[in-house]
Amino acid sequence: MDERNQKPLVDEVIQKEWKMFDKVNSLGGRASCQDNFPVFYVMRYSQFSVWDKDVLESYYADLLKAGSQGMNIIEQKYAYMMRETSPDYYEKYLREFLPGITEEKKCLAEQIMEIVMGFYSEAEKMYPGIAARGRGGSRRESISGETSVDVYQRGELLTYSSATLKLYYAMVKRKKDTGQNMVLDIYARTAECCGYDGLEAAEKAARKRKEFYQ
């Protein structure tokens, strides 16, 4: 993927997500991260800039469709996350207001999760300092208090259309089959955006600082 050629589309995706993120109503009131666009941009750019073009275009179409229907899929992502973090609240207050999850989407999401969590496990072993400053790996709270990677990732995947999920699965499967680790690619792009000269420098800094993004 040519990052330079895709940057305009990546930026469009991020802007549409930011508008939705800004309108998310959380139980504890407005979160501080909702007023920090620079960090939001780095986090999302680091992810989207390593995606295949067809996946990015499909997700952009998802955002456009959601917007035209008055839906906030970023808010839906956090609601889906609460299926695991607060199941009683989810069942009582959220489930009936969310789009139904088809068996096809569930299956695709879990196939993707199996590969992505494998990427994450490998990346965590190679760069534990960077990994420790982000979300915890599997169904646990990280030291930063963020929801675990698997809960967050699954919640996000469930907001994608079936078309996007199929393309996403094809992307991560190809990367796995060719020995690529998408999580390491995201780490590398994040390190670059934060001004570090490669992952080794970012790892060294992460072990010294409380937050990777300081």
Side-chain angles (χ1 to χ4, degrees):
M1 183 193 71
D2 189 328
E3 177 193 350
R4 292 170 298 178
N5 290 341
Q6 294 208 168
K7 189 175 185 302
L9 179 55
V10 169
D11 286 347
E12 280 291 319
V13 168
I14 293 172
Q15 288 294 335
K16 290 197 175 299
E17 279 201 337
W18 176 253
K19 289 180 181 178
M20 293 183 181
F21 185 58
D22 182 58
K23 296 177 182 178
V24 171
N25 295 310
S26 61
L27 292 177
R30 186 174 180 82
S32 60
C33 55
Q34 289 178 276
D35 297 313
N36 195 336
F37 179 72
V39 168
F40 180 88
Y41 182 87
V42 169
M43 297 287 285
R44 303 308 280 172
Y45 178 81
S46 298
Q47 173 177 312
F48 297 136
S49 64
V50 304
W51 281 14
D52 290 349
K53 184 179 180 181
D54 58 352
V55 184
L56 188 63
E57 289 175 336
S58 186
Y59 179 55
Y60 182 60
D62 292 348
L63 289 167
L64 291 176
K65 182 178 180 180
S68 70
Q69 296 176 343
M71 296 169 56
N72 187 333
I73 61 177
I74 303 302
E75 193 164 54
Q76 289 176 3
K77 170 174 66 177
Y78 292 107
Y80 284 132
M81 285 162 57
M82 293 183 74
R83 291 196 318 154
E84 297 184 62
T85 60
S86 301
D88 291 340
Y89 186 90
Y90 172 84
E91 289 293 334
K92 187 173 182 179
Y93 298 108
L94 301 176
R95 183 175 183 177
E96 65 177 300
F97 299 106
L98 292 168
I101 304 171
T102 65
E103 287 301 317
E104 179 184 41
K105 287 185 69 170
K106 287 180 184 178
C107 181
L108 283 166
E110 291 308 314
Q111 287 178 310
I112 292 168
M113 286 296 301
E114 183 177 357
I115 296 174
V116 171
M117 292 308 295
F119 289 159
Y120 181 84
S121 179
E122 180 183 20
E124 187 177 33
K125 291 175 183 176
M126 295 176 66
Y127 298 100
I130 294 175
R133 302 309 171 188
R135 300 179 184 280
S138 179
R139 291 184 175 82
R140 64 177 173 82
E141 293 298 309
S142 68
I143 62 172
S144 63
E146 296 284 354
T147 304
S148 62
V149 170
D150 65 335
V151 171
Y152 184 93
Q153 181 73 63
R154 185 177 289 104
E156 181 161 316
L157 290 174
L158 291 175
T159 68
Y160 299 170
S161 66
S162 292
T164 299
L165 284 173
K166 289 175 183 177
L167 292 170
Y168 196 104
Y169 174 66
M171 174 180 67
V172 296
K173 187 177 186 303
R174 174 180 54 77
K175 288 180 181 292
K176 177 186 177 183
D177 291 345
T178 56
Q180 294 176 268
N181 185 320
M182 192 168 74
V183 172
L184 285 178
D185 292 340
I186 293 171
Y187 280 4
R189 192 56 51 77
T190 305
E192 178 185 344
C193 289
C194 293
Y196 294 106
D197 185 18
L199 282 173
E200 296 301 330
E203 173 69 11
K204 184 177 180 180
R207 294 187 184 197
K208 292 181 178 180
R209 299 185 180 186
K210 292 182 179 179
E211 295 293 341
F212 179 52
Y213 298 101
Q214 285 183 346

